[in-house]
């Protein structure tokens, strides 16, 4: 079947989609957007978290056909999405150690993950970023227990979550300073 | 040497001369070079690989644990439209049809017999993963089931079926039974005599469950056939060259025709030491002439890699009335499963580290690994030492109680220190601040009581059961536990453990740039960050490029055994030093005649310049180098080790030891048997923290994996069928952010003079003591004996015996 | 596999009538797992995402009509007062991402004994609105579960809504899992006080082939509360009554040993949850009574 939907603000179309394919598969294998990760494909890890019409969901559990006509935001579009929300365009990466180049645009939560050491292998990172960004959109100054609850659907095997907590606190603090 | 620290410890602190004034060098918490790519989703993991015209590979696995294969019919599968190839054992291109890390006992595809649930039997290539799955389902395999061997009794029974007949491996000659893969005794002193001196003797039997690495990035990769008949493989692994050594002979290709590049690795923890889909992808690529992508799903991943050895450990400890250990006697039985993997090394660790970080003169330890029909077990973070630590730390608590001493003081009294002798006879010749680490974790402030209560009422998220709303404080009891552990760093027992680094220095855009190329597998630990720091420190530059890891450079050894910063870090340091010498030679040739300091002063590279040790700048590196590039590739080795004597276990078997201590504070809902870990404090000696932020990340991550095996993680194998019962993230549970406590970390830096920068390998030690500390805290809260891990609610409520 | 995309409820019913083997998919949190892991290859997937009515709810005088696809997140945030047990249950479902997609309709359709919503529905009292081209009917939730992962729906029927009784008193819900979040129930317990009828209702999850009510325990407790005049004088439930109630709830279980827990543990834990949830709910009732009296 053929599926049309919007990803990160751009209309996309996928052809010859097998009916059993997930949104995650279509993003990763058909649209060249492998940022959303395929860690469990059973909704038990959150690595594939995307916004579907603004709502954080596991892309592995959305049938591709269900995305028809809808808006999807993935980690690849997070900086732009966050920038539009704040209204002043995405900030630029500040880290002098960034190998990807200083021009890379990052959402505040992305920059905080880099700065706080919240990234090790990084496989959980895209899903955590989408979930954490949505939390901060809803609740700009979350208590620790709120952060833990909001991220309780995202498994990380490397960090023990402490640096992830630090990163979300850091992003929240920077966000509140900035406004 | 030198001054004394505040705690009365010798202050072996690493002092830098070269590079001390260069920004972004060692000792700073520089940020990951791959961080930005990882937060934008652009970092390409092995499962993200994509190629025009690629096909999808699928593996057909055995649904039973032990059977004869009486027939395989692939005709129906081959007839499925979209299928390009179906291969079985009979299609393998050469006579090399087995592989293995140490013992080549693992069939590439099963032949005549399957020995464990999930063993690969056939492989398929098709144009879509669903086509490949449907085709695999149409391969007809006839199995005649055999009785399963699942434990020591069934493995060594007189009529036991042999897992591997006609063994020729180098352990075969010294094992008591062919279903015993390896056995290592460690015998020192006279336990029988020492026992007579003991006023207290404590015996215990402990069971350690099977843990999964549960890295998040599933086994995956892309094999692309090349025009020269070779293959390019993009893969997530812990050791490219070890893979290569096993892959190339099966394909019948010379190693240089199997070009491997490290793709992004989504965690490893030991689970990527062995091959998974590498050979299968290459076989299909060479057969079809098309690129082959294979990605396991989570279900398959549980069958696609080895697990942590489950173990049964019997211990006897003795102590005198004044609290001195008299002896330790132990028997550690590890279940290696169907194939050898890293089992021999696990046996070596379990036995040689089986006493823990304590001084005991009289020791009699035996560790062995079985061949069974259970899932193959091999490397996982802290292997061998993890299982032993769980048991000996439980024993130390019980013995302290028997003697009537404080549990921490009892440990401190018996703690080893620099100069102590291991049960293997090896002298510990670098700092071993065991007592101090315990002092530090004990001295940390305790978290407040009843932290779940506030003026707004009860927050269930902070109670056992969490969001499930099982208690509002009823039945909740707090407990505190301590543990300390010892782990070896690097490959042991005489293994030629080396790494290779290629370092290049040249001027790019008017600025000196260092390029570091190694085959080190970056699996998340931050080796790439540290390599850049080392290059900055040693070469006095700001800009460092880390080349992708591949097999165009020599082996870096494995990203395991807490060894990479030590060994590949050491190799990078060594290569940088040689580059620096060459650069200084260039400088002397060019500028020596104009300034006497070139000949007389100690010269350093700092801030892009050549400077004297008195701080006088002599030349810009850009001018020294000009158009020239200096490049050096060198292998680097740590001090050699030697094998353990097969009968006594004596020998200088280990390179370095690593120590961590934990204090766990838990709250247990004693009625429901649910546990919430409130805090897990850790103190660890790291020798020298090359990157403090990464060090803490490793300690917290390792601590959390230890927590997981304490309270929830276990691969459950049905003892009647040897089949895995919970191969999914629904039923194999790893800690969420609501299960993981705050983890204060106290980092001690006592330099090991034998190691680069005095550093100590750090990745594994925190995984050891975390588990027994949590168990001790649960025992403290409940008063129960709890001799197995993980602890399940059934064990805490006396409801573990079925209905 | 065919993917059917009805744009309205009528189209959905027509499609289900034409293809009775079609598997309805809304949040996908059960169905997609089965597809991803190759456990199921339905001939037709019937996507209900475009049927907007299924995402709506109406709060009536006695009942809440909850559209089959209303996500758990909405229930736990917007229906706490009307459906307290179901809101608590919704909060224990898997993860935030799953709660954003999963729904009570899906829980009922799957009819797993471990479904989180069932004990709350049983305790509150509910009816399932099932419909086919042949017509609509209301199935009392007590009669809905017919076996392990089996329910009372006819092959051509779809779940349109659940009619849950509005709370007339305190309700509680608790679930045991071996992790502090994102966990499938080892067992679960729902309890609702119905002061209007002076009854207590219960629901047990994951401790029998189907979700069940502990009717003997309910009868005992209802009689004990009535005889002791507890409803009137607002005294605390006596420990012996709570204990007996807990024992009878445990006895209502018919659990199995599985990889998530032993039968013995499930029975034990259901007893503990029964006692605790009764105490919490009853204390809330007493508090509310005291509040009313104080105000009067």
């Amino acid at each position: 079947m053929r599926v049309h939907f919007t990803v990160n603000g751009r209309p996309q179309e996928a052809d010859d989609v097998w009916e059993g394919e997930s949104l995650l598969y279509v993003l990763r294998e058909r649209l060249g957007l492998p940022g959303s990760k395929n860690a469990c494909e059973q909704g038990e890890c959150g690595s594939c978290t995307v916004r579907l019409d603004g709502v954080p969901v596991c892309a592995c559990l959305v049938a591709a056909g269900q995305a028809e006509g809808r808006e999807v935001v993935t980690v690849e579009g997070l900086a732009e999405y966050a920038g539009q929300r704040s209204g002043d365009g995405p900030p630029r990466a500040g880290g002098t150690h960034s190998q990807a180049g200083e021009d890379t645009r990052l959402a505040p939560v992305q920059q905080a993950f880099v700065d706080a050491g919240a990234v090790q292998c990084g496989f959980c990172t895209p899903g955590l970023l989408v979930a954490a960004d949505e939390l901060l959109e809803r609740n700009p100054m979350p208590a620790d227990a709120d952060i833990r609850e909001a991220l309780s659907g995202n498994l990380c095997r490397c960090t023990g979550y402490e640096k992830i907590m630090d990163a979300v606190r850091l992003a929240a603090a920077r966000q509140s300073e900035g406004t | 040497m030198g001054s004394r620290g505040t705690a009365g410890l010798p202050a072996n602190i690493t002092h830098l001369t070269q590079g001390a004034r260069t920004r972004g060098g060692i000792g700073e918490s520089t940020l990951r070079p791959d961080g930005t790519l990882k937060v934008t989703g652009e970092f390409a993991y092995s499962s993200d690989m994509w190629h025009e015209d690629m096909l999808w590979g699928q593996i057909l696995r055995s649904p039973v644990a032990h059977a004869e294969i009486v027939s395989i019919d692939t005709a129906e599968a081959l007839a499925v439209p979209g299928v390009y190839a179906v291969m079985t054992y009979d299609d393998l291109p050469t006579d090399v049809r087995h592989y293995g890390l140490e013992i080549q006992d693992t069939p590439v595809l099963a032949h005549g017999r399957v020995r464990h649930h999930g063993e690969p039997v056939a492989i398929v290539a098709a144009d879509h993963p669903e086509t490949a799955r449907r085709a695999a389902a149409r391969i007809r395999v006839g199995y005649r089931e055999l009785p399963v061997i699942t434990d020591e009794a069934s493995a060594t029974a007189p009529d036991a079926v042999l897992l591997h007949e006609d063994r020729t491996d180098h352990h075969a000659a010294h094992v008591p039974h062919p279903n015993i893969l390896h056995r290592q005794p460690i015998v020192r002193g006279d336990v029988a005599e020492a026992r007579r001196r003991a006023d207290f003797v404590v015996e215990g039997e402990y069971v350690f469950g099977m843990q999964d690495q549960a890295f998040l990035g599933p086994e995956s990769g892309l094999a692309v056939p090349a025009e020269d008949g070779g293959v390019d493989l993009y893969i997530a692994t812990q050791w490219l060259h070890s893979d290569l050594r096993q892959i190339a002979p099966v394909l019948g290709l010379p190693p240089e025709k199997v070009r491997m590049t490290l793709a992004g690795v989504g965690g490893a923890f030991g689970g990527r030491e062995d091959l998974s889909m590498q050979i299968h992808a290459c076989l299909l690529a060479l057969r079809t002439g098309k690129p082959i992508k294979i990605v396991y799903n989570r279900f398959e991943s549980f069958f696609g890699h080895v697990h942590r050895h489950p173990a049964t450990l019997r211990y006897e400890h003795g102590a005198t009335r004044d609290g001195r250990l008299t002896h330790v006697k132990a028997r550690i039985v590890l279940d290696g499963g169907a194939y050898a993997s890293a089992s021999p090394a696990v046996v070596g660790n379990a036995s040689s580290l089986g006493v823990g970080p304590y001084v005991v003169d009289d020791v009699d330890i035996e560790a062995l690994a079985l061949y069974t029909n259970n899932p193959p077990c091999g490397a996982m973070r802290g292997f061998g030492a993890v299982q032993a630590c769980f048991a000996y730390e439980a024993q130390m608590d019980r013995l302290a109680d028997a003697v009537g001493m404080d549990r921490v003081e009892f440990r401190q009294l018996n703690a080893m220190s620099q100069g102590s002798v291991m049960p293997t006879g090896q002298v510990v010749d670098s700092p071993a601040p065991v007592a101090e680490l315990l002092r530090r974790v004990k001295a940390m402030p305790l978290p407040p009581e009843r932290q779940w209560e506030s003026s707004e009422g009860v927050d269930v998220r902070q109670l056992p059961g969490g969001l499930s709303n099982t208690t509002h404080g009823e039945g909740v009891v707090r407990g505190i536990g301590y543990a300390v552990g010892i782990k070896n760093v690097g490959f042991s027992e005489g293994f030629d453990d080396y790494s290779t680094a290629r370092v290049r220095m040249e001027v790019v855009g008017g600025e000196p740039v260092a390029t570091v190329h190694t085959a080190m597998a970056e699996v998340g630990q931050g080796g790439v960050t540290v390599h850049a720091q080392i290059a900055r420190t040693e070469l006095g530059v700001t800009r460092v490029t880390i080349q992708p890891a591949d097999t165009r450079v020599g082996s870096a050894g494995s990203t395991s055994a807490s060894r990479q910063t030590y060994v590949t870090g050491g190799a990078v340091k060594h290569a940088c030093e040689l580059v620096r010498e060459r650069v200084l030679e260039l400088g002397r040739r060019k500028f020596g005649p104009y300034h006497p300091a070139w000949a007389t002063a100690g010269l350093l590279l700092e801030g892009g310049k050549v400077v004297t040790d008195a701080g006088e700048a002599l030349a810009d590196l850009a001018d020294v180098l000009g158009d020239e590039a200096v490049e050096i590739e060198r292998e680097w080795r740590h001090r050699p080790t030697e094998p353990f004597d097969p009968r006594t276990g004596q020998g200088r078997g280990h390179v370095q030891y690593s120590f961590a201590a934990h204090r766990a504070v838990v709250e247990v809902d004693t009625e429901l048997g649910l546990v919430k870990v409130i805090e897990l404090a850790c103190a660890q000696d790291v020798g020298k923290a090359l990157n403090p932020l990464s060090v803490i990340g490793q300690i917290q991550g390792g601590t959390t994996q230890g927590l997981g095996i304490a309270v929830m993680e276990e691969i459950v194998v049905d003892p009647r069928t040897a089949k895995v019962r919970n191969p999914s993230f629904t039923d194999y549970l790893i800690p969420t952010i609501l299960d993981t406590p705050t983890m204060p970390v106290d980092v001690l830096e006592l330099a090991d003079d034998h190691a680069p920068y005095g550093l100590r390998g750090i990745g594994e030690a925190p995984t050891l003591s975390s588990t027994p500390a949590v168990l001790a805290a649960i025992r403290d809260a409940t008063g129960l004996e709890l001799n197995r891990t993980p602890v399940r609610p059934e064990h805490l409520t006396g409801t573990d015996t079925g209905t | 596999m065919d993917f059917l995309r009805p744009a309205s409820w009528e189209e959905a019913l027509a499609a289900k009538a034409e293809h009775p083997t079609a598997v309805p998919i809304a949040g996908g949190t059960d169905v997609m797992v089965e597809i991803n892991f190759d456990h199921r290859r339905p001939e037709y997937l019937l996507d209900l995402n475009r049927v907007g009515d299924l995402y709506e709810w109406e709060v009536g005088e006695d009942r809440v009509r909850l559209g089959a696809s209303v996500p758990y997140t909405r229930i736990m945030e917007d229906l706490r007062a009307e459906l307290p047990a179901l809101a608590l249950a919704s909060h224990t479902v898997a993860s935030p991402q799953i709660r954003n997609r999963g729904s009570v309709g899906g829980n009922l359709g799957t009819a797993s004994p471990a479904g989180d919503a069932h004990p709350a529905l049983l305790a509150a009292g509910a009816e399932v609105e099932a419909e086919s081209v042949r017509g609509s009917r209301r199935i009392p939730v007590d009669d809905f579960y017919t076996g392990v992962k089996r329910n009372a729906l006819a092959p051509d029927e779809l779940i349109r809504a659940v009619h849950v009784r509005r709370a007339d008193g305190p309700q509680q819900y608790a679930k045991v899992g071996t992790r502090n979040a994102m966990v499938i129930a080892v067992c679960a317990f729902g309890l609702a006080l119905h002061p209007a009828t002076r009854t207590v209702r219960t629901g047990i999850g994951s401790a029998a082939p189907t979700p069940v009510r502990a009717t003997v325990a309910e009868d005992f407790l209802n009689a004990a509360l009535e005889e002791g005049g507890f409803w009137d004088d607002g005294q605390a439930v006596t420990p012996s009554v709570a204990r007996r109630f807990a024992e009878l709830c445990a006895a209502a279980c018919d659990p199995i040993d599985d990889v998530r827990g032993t039968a013995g543990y499930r029975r034990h834990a259901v007893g503990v949850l029964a006692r605790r949830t009764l105490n919490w709910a009853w204390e809330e009732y007493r508090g509310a009574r005291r509040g009313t009296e104080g105000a009067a």
Side-chain angles (χ1 to χ4, degrees), chain B residues 47-224:
Chain B
S47 54
D48 301 338
M49 298 290 121
W50 191 89
H51 200 289
E52 197 67 41
D53 281 341
M54 72 183 188
L55 303 176
W56 291 79
Q58 175 73 33
I59 292 95
L60 178 72
R61 295 174 180 274
S62 171
V64 295
H66 199 193
E68 256 179 70
I69 297 178
V70 290
S71 61
I72 303 186
D73 182 355
T74 60
E76 238 188 282
L78 272 165
V80 174
V83 168
Y84 283 71
V86 179
M87 297 178 77
T88 67
Y89 179 90
D90 292 333
D91 300 305
L92 296 178
T94 74
D95 289 341
V96 181
R97 295 173 177 203
H98 292 74
Y99 65 91
L101 286 175
E102 180 186 325
I103 301 170
Q104 285 70 51
D105 63 355
T106 312
V108 172
L109 291 166
H111 175 56
R113 183 174 170 195
V114 288
R115 293 180 178 84
H116 69 91
H117 182 203
E119 180 162 351
V121 176
I123 50 179
V124 177
D127 57 7
H128 188 280
E130 174 66 0
T131 316
R133 281 190 293 264
R134 295 280 64 78
R138 291 184 187 193
I139 300 171
R140 307 274 168 238
V141 185
Y143 296 102
R144 182 155 52 229
E145 285 201 57
L146 299 166
V148 289
I149 288 169
T150 57
D151 56 14
E152 186 178 15
S154 54
T156 57
D159 58 344
V161 178
L162 299 186
L163 260 291
H164 299 275
E165 283 160 20
D166 310 318
R167 280 177 59 183
T168 56
D169 62 85
H170 55 282
H171 300 298
H174 69 250
V175 291
H177 188 285
N179 280 341
I180 294 175
L181 167 48
H182 175 45
R183 173 177 172 273
Q184 179 65 61
I186 308 277
V187 185
R188 189 166 179 83
D190 184 343
V191 161
E193 173 61 30
R195 186 187 284 124
R196 279 194 279 276
R197 287 187 281 112
D199 297 307
F200 302 96
V201 172
V202 167
E203 290 176 81
E205 182 169 311
Y206 301 88
V207 175
F208 198 102
M210 187 186 290
Q211 188 178 21
D212 189 67
Q213 297 83 354
F215 44 71
L216 287 193
E219 292 87 342
S220 48
L222 178 74
V224 185

Side-chain angles (χ1 to χ4, degrees), chain B residues 270-405:
Chain B
R272 298 190 209 267
E273 260 197 18
D274 295 78
L275 296 179
S276 58
M277 43 58 66
Q278 285 91 325
I279 297 177
H280 297 153
C282 291
L283 285 169
L284 290 171
L286 293 170
R287 167 65 74 97
T288 62
K290 284 172 170 287
I292 300 288
K293 176 170 177 169
I294 296 180
V295 181
Y296 292 176
N297 67 17
R298 183 53 54 181
F299 174 85
E300 187 168 19
S301 180
F302 275 97
F303 298 98
H305 60 260
V306 299
H307 313 294
R308 187 192 293 293
H309 288 70
T312 304
L313 311 97
R314 278 203 66 82
Y315 268 83
E316 176 189 312
H317 278 66
T320 58
R321 202 163 285 115
D322 61 356
R324 298 275 172 187
L325 284 170
T326 52
H327 68 283
V328 174
K329 187 171 164 60
R331 186 161 190 280
I332 301 170
V333 179
L334 300 145
D335 186 346
Y339 296 107
S341 181
S343 281
V346 178
V347 168
N349 281 3
S351 55
S352 61
L353 305 170
V355 164
Y358 303 109
V359 178
V360 194
D361 294 331
D362 298 282
V363 173
D364 182 357
I365 292 182
E366 174 192 33
L368 55 88
L370 304 168
Y371 271 130
T372 68
N373 294 114
N374 290 326
C377 288
M380 184 176 172
R381 201 172 195 166
F383 68 44
V386 158
Q387 293 92 332
C389 187
F390 163 68
Y392 64 65
E393 284 300 86
Q395 286 282 103
M396 290 300 281
D397 276 350
R398 294 181 57 201
L399 197 52
D401 294 351
V403 174
M405 278 182 79

Side-chain angles (χ1 to χ4, degrees), chain B residues 242-256:
Chain B
S242 165
D243 286 9
L244 177 60
R245 180 178 52 78
Q246 298 171 78
I247 296 167
V250 175
L251 304 180
L253 290 172
E256 61 274 14

Side-chain angles (χ1 to χ4, degrees), chain B residues 512 539-541 604-611 617-622 624:
Chain B
L539 298 174
V541 297
L604 309 172
L605 306 190
E606 294 280 8
K609 296 177 191 311
V610 178
V611 300
L618 297 182
D620 282 347
L621 280 173
V624 172

Side-chain angles (χ1 to χ4, degrees), chain B residues 380-383 386 487-489 560-562 761-768:
Chain B
M380 184 176 172
R381 201 172 195 166
F383 68 44
V386 158
K487 177 69 183 55
N488 60 319
V489 172
S560 56
S562 306
I762 58 155
E764 295 168 289
T767 309
L768 271 62

